[in-house]
Amino acid sequence: MYKKLVFGMIAFALVTVLFAACSIKEGATASGIEAKMGSSNFIDTKVTLKKGESVTLVDEVASLHTITNGTWDGSQAKPAVEAGAPQVHFTVSGKGESRNVGPFTTAGTFHLYCTVHPGMNLEIIVQ
Ligand SMILES: [Cu+2]
């Protein structure tokens, strides 16, 4: 009976520590930098981050975007995950819907694009 109580308390303490650790990590990587998406384009086509920061991609209108690593070269989609880039693949469709992308831990220039809209490119510069 007593042992069960002690075990329960240890388990509770562990869970609390884990939650606390997660929230600290999120706070450290959030830069507050946003890249807004319009109906068929990036409103912000270029963002600059410091190493270790993330960028929040925000759908400003109710438009479906599928964002992944790569770029549009004219009307040709060129998927590519650059060395040091986080793997990105998600779909948003609701107004105000957002996704955190990162952290970017390597300095360089990285590209994301929307597979739905030709020419919808985002350049991310990490310093
Ligand atoms: Cu799109």
Side-chain angles (χ1 to χ4, degrees):
M1 178 67 189
Y2 178 71
K3 264 186 185 168
K4 262 188 183 167
L5 187 67
V6 168
F7 179 78
M9 283 173 80
I10 289 170
F12 178 76
L14 268 176
V15 167
T16 307
V17 166
L18 278 175
F19 269 111
C22 286
S23 52
I24 288 165
K25 188 170 171 271
E26 272 172 17
T29 55
S31 61
I33 293 169
E34 291 184 350
K36 294 183 174 72
M37 297 177 278
S39 57
S40 62
N41 63 326
F42 275 103
I43 296 166
D44 304 299
T45 55
K46 192 189 275 192
V47 292
T48 304
L49 305 176
K50 292 193 192 78
K51 248 195 261 183
E53 285 183 335
S54 302
V55 58
T56 305
L57 273 52
V58 187
D59 203 354
E60 287 289 292
V61 293
S63 180
L64 187 142
H65 301 291
T66 296
I67 307 298
T68 191
N69 301 79
T71 192
W72 284 102
D73 182 7
S75 59
Q76 193 95 53
K78 299 250 170 91
V81 183
E82 288 130 335
Q87 285 258 7
V88 178
H89 191 91
F90 65 83
T91 297
V92 288
S93 58
K95 186 177 192 296
E97 213 180 313
S98 68
R99 289 287 186 284
N100 201 53
V101 174
F104 287 82
T105 54
T106 306
T109 303
F110 304 97
H111 298 88
L112 299 179
Y113 76 114
C114 174
T115 60
V116 181
H117 299 112
M120 183 167 168
N121 290 323
L122 175 67
E123 191 174 66
I124 298 162
I125 295 159
V126 182
Q127 295 172 333

